[in-house]
Every structure is written in C-alpha cells, then in structure tokens.
Amino acid sequence: MKQQALPNLKKYALLPATLITILIILTSCGGSSVSINNKDKPIYFKPYNVQVGSFQNVNSAVNLQLKLNNLNVDAYYFKGKSGKYHVMFGNFFTKFQATKYARKYKKDGLYNNFTIVTPIYNPGETLSTGTKNRARRDITASAGSYIGTPYLWGGTNSSAGFDCSGLTYTVYAQNGFKLPRVAAEQFKQGNFVPRDRLREGDLVFFATSGGKKASHVGIYVGNNNFIHAPSSGKNVQTTSMDNPYFKKIYLGARSYI
C-alpha cells in the first residue's frame, strides 16, 4: 500500500500553529530571537497522542521514529519507566482524530498495536500542589534520560540530536505540556520565576547572541544545575548555573506548571 503523508496535525492542537513554527533564522537554538516580554501567559497542555512500540533495543525505537518522520509525522522516542523504549506522535485535539491516524499507520504496517494517550492535564485545569510536584519530577527525569544525545541545530529528533529548544519542547511534550518550538517564544509563554526561587522543571534562558534576547534555554533540575543542548559538536549535558559564561548571559526563568 502506498504511504501517504500525514495531514497537518497541528490544526487540531490547542495552540496556534504559528507558535510552533520553526523560523530558520541564525540563532544558537534554531529560531528567531524575539525581544523579552515579561507578561505572564496562560498555561497550555498537550492534547491526545498515540504511543506505539515497546522495545528493549533503542535502535528499534529509533527505526520506527524515523519511518514516521519520513512521513512528515512529528514523532519522538523515549525511555519508559519500565526501561523499554516507546515512540509517540500526535498532538490531536480529540481522541477520535488520534484513533483515526493511529489505525491508519497500523494498517500501513508500521506497528502492530497502539495506545491512545489522553491528556495528563485538562486544558485550563487548576493543578493541585501534589500534581505540580509530580510533573516537575517527571520533567526532570525525562531531561536526564537525554543526557549524551548530540546537539543538532533545528533538531527535535532524539535519534539524530536536539538543539536547545528542541530538547525542552520534546521533554515537555513527553510529560503532557505543549510548548512553542523556539526559545524566544518559550520565554514569552511562561510565568516569571525569580533566580532565587527556581524549582526543578523550570526553564532557564540565556542571551548567547548578546543583548536582551532569549536565544538559549535549558531545564533547571535542582542543586543549581540545568540540563541543555549546548552547541554544535557537544552533547546534551548538565551545567552549573554558576558557570561563568552562563552566569554572565543569564536572562531569567519561566515556569509552565
């Protein structure tokens, strides 16, 4: 059966597609550098997704991810709590749409079984303190699982590599949150967090291009450290907030939880 590219799934998303468009402009994180806007923005949550595969070998998950990517499906793999690797794709507004496309690719022979993953949080839901704390721990753990992945400008493909905002985008998506794609837009969407009140799961932003524009982002993981995709030729790694270079160009932090 001839494979057909998946239609533009982002029209079913909770966020306008323009917020996640990758703007091909020269910055350190793939995307535009937009002037800082400190106004608080609403929190958005990722809608329905499709999870497929359960692999012991990471290469099997990578191969499935690449097959979906080749069909213009925004898929990524991740390591589950059981230690097995899974692949997820989607960003559907309704369960019906998620099921429709899950069945299509199953019929095309890409996988045998699938699971519809319902939103972890409902849009506009007021989260309890316990739920927020769990989300922060999960985001931190997810970020740690990608340490060692190579940097790739403009990348959200965990098998090939991440750029800085590609890493934060994927880690948050894995845990039920829908962020804009580029660092500058992520900075504009979050709620301001003072430097001395950082909590795990917050995003920290830097002006690697100079001035007052957010062009680099990482995930704060506690103990004065953040995880990020630094630059071309380097892997995802943990860095201290007191690193002289990053301390000098630090812009601020944002929370989405």
Side-chain angles (χ1 to χ4, degrees):
M1 178 178 294
K2 183 179 179 180
Q3 302 285 6
Q4 297 179 352
L6 187 68
N8 182 8
L9 304 182
K10 293 182 176 60
K11 67 182 179 179
Y12 303 115
L14 295 177
L15 289 178
T18 54
L19 290 182
I20 53 178
T21 301
I22 302 176
L23 304 178
I24 308 301
I25 298 176
L26 292 178
T27 69
S28 65
C29 266
S32 63
S33 289
V34 180
S35 298
I36 295 172
N37 182 341
N38 288 320
K39 293 182 180 180
D40 290 350
K41 298 292 183 179
I43 297 174
Y44 295 92
F45 302 104
K46 193 174 177 73
Y48 294 89
N49 289 269
V50 181
Q51 180 176 309
V52 295
S54 182
F55 307 105
Q56 293 285 357
N57 189 326
V58 64
N59 291 329
S60 298
V62 169
N63 289 336
L64 178 54
Q65 174 190 314
L66 292 178
K67 288 179 181 179
L68 289 163
N69 291 158
N70 288 337
L71 296 173
N72 296 320
V73 179
D74 186 14
Y76 60 90
Y77 82 86
F78 65 95
K79 189 175 184 180
K81 294 180 179 180
S82 66
K84 293 185 178 181
Y85 295 92
H86 312 281
V87 176
M88 190 172 292
F89 69 90
N91 192 29
F92 300 96
F93 186 68
T94 66
K95 188 174 183 179
F96 173 81
Q97 287 291 341
T99 304
K100 175 182 176 180
Y101 287 104
R103 288 174 175 169
K104 168 184 166 41
Y105 290 117
K106 178 182 177 181
K107 185 178 180 180
D108 288 346
L110 291 182
Y111 45 79
N112 294 323
N113 298 296
F114 63 84
T115 300
I116 302 300
V117 181
T118 59
I120 299 176
Y121 317 110
N122 295 319
E125 176 184 354
T126 300
L127 306 183
S128 68
T129 299
T131 301
K132 290 181 179 180
N133 291 338
R134 185 193 71 190
R136 290 181 179 279
R137 291 193 299 269
D138 290 346
I139 287 169
T140 300
S142 296
S145 72
Y146 290 116
I147 289 177
T149 300
Y151 178 96
L152 179 67
W153 189 86
T156 56
N157 184 330
S158 51
S159 62
F162 291 103
D163 69 4
C164 69
S165 58
L167 175 65
T168 55
Y169 175 90
T170 298
V171 166
Y172 265 72
Q174 183 178 334
N175 289 281
F177 292 87
K178 184 67 177 178
L179 294 183
R181 171 59 182 84
V182 298
E185 293 297 330
Q186 291 176 2
F187 189 84
K188 291 167 65 178
Q189 283 294 318
N191 298 311
F192 172 77
V193 179
R195 172 69 177 82
D196 60 354
R197 294 185 182 180
L198 281 171
R199 298 183 62 189
E200 59 180 345
D202 290 339
L203 297 191
V204 288
F205 294 85
F206 306 88
T208 55
S209 299
K212 295 292 184 180
K213 296 180 180 180
S215 52
H216 188 69
V217 60
I219 301 172
Y220 186 74
V221 293
N223 297 319
N224 206 38
N225 294 316
F226 66 99
I227 292 176
H228 64 131
S231 61
S232 181
K234 297 182 180 180
N235 295 340
V236 173
Q237 61 188 252
T238 302
T239 298
S240 171
M241 293 291 293
D242 290 329
N243 175 287
Y245 171 70
F246 285 105
K247 188 174 182 179
K248 182 179 180 180
I249 62 171
Y250 178 69
L251 281 179
R254 296 291 183 264
S255 175
Y256 309 86
I257 302 172

